[in-house]
Amino acid sequence: MYENPLLVIVGPTAVGKTALGIELAKRLGGEIISGDALQVYQGFDIGTAKVTEEERQEITHHFIDTLPPDASYSVADFKEQALKKIHDIHTAKKLPMIVGGTGLYIQSVVYPYEFTDQGSSPELRKRLEKEAERFGQEQLHQRLQAIDQEAAKRIHPNNVRRVIRALEIYEMTNETPTAQLRKQSTDYRFPTLLVGLTMERATLYQTINQRVEQMVEEGLFDEVKDLLDRGYKNTQAMQAIGYKEIVAYYDGECSKDESIAQLKKNTRRFAKRQLTWFRNKMDVTWFDVTDRPPTQEIANEILPLIAGKLTF
């Protein structure tokens, strides 16, 4: 009999992970840990498709609205906090469920992924930050690409903090972040079932476009304007897809329609990267939800799989 099981639901943005997670949590007595890098921030609601109180259907959700908009948050922070929360959920004799699309965050918990104690230098980090200010973030990203092409593909040039961290690791250890990732164990930390939702690409892209339009109707521009008015422009969270495109509009760099088009394009690209990550990095059992809602019907198909692999 397995003890301390973990259920993980992954997939690209807009595929229906939230709805499936809630459906399975109701049936299995689960508590949901958000595996999304942005839903942890207060005030970042519409652009992150944050689950509402009504949508939660009284299912306990963790790591939502726990940090102020200007806080820093890393994969190491998520790992430490998620492991503690999983222990608490197990102690309460309930099923912990990670639901989200931030691959590296989820990987850090599922596998015994250890972050190097080396590769940290405040002085070096400060120098790299000054270089980014002086020469531009693109130049730093090009330097990363020259030493670690895979990391450069994973990290967007606008995510200066992660680019700097990757360069810092390399300069301090003479080992690329990708090389360190490859040395990590692929044994599960807990008895784990990884379930993934996928969708035919054209349908997924159409769904993403519709979601962006819905976000705009729900007040995405007003949400970003409020955050800007409160002084949160130069924050980690504001560099994310769904926010940086709207900031560009308020900075006068593009029209409103252009910012919406760019947001759709960036989100589609992000969904493609998510699928590539999960297929290459994790042992996921996939369910296609192209022509069916990922709730009761899919849950019925997944339950026997859970019963066969997890006991709790």
Side-chain angles (χ1 to χ4, degrees), residues 13 48 130 168 177 192 214 236 266:
T13 185
T48 65
K130 288 182 179 179
E168 183 185 9
T192 299
Q214 181 180 349
Q236 176 183 332
N266 288 346

Side-chain angles (χ1 to χ4, degrees), residues 139-149 152 167 170 176:
Q139 179 169 317
L140 278 189
H141 192 266
Q142 289 173 0
R143 189 191 306 177
L144 175 62
Q145 190 171 27
I147 63 171
D148 190 342
Q149 291 187 1
L167 292 171
Y170 178 72
T176 66

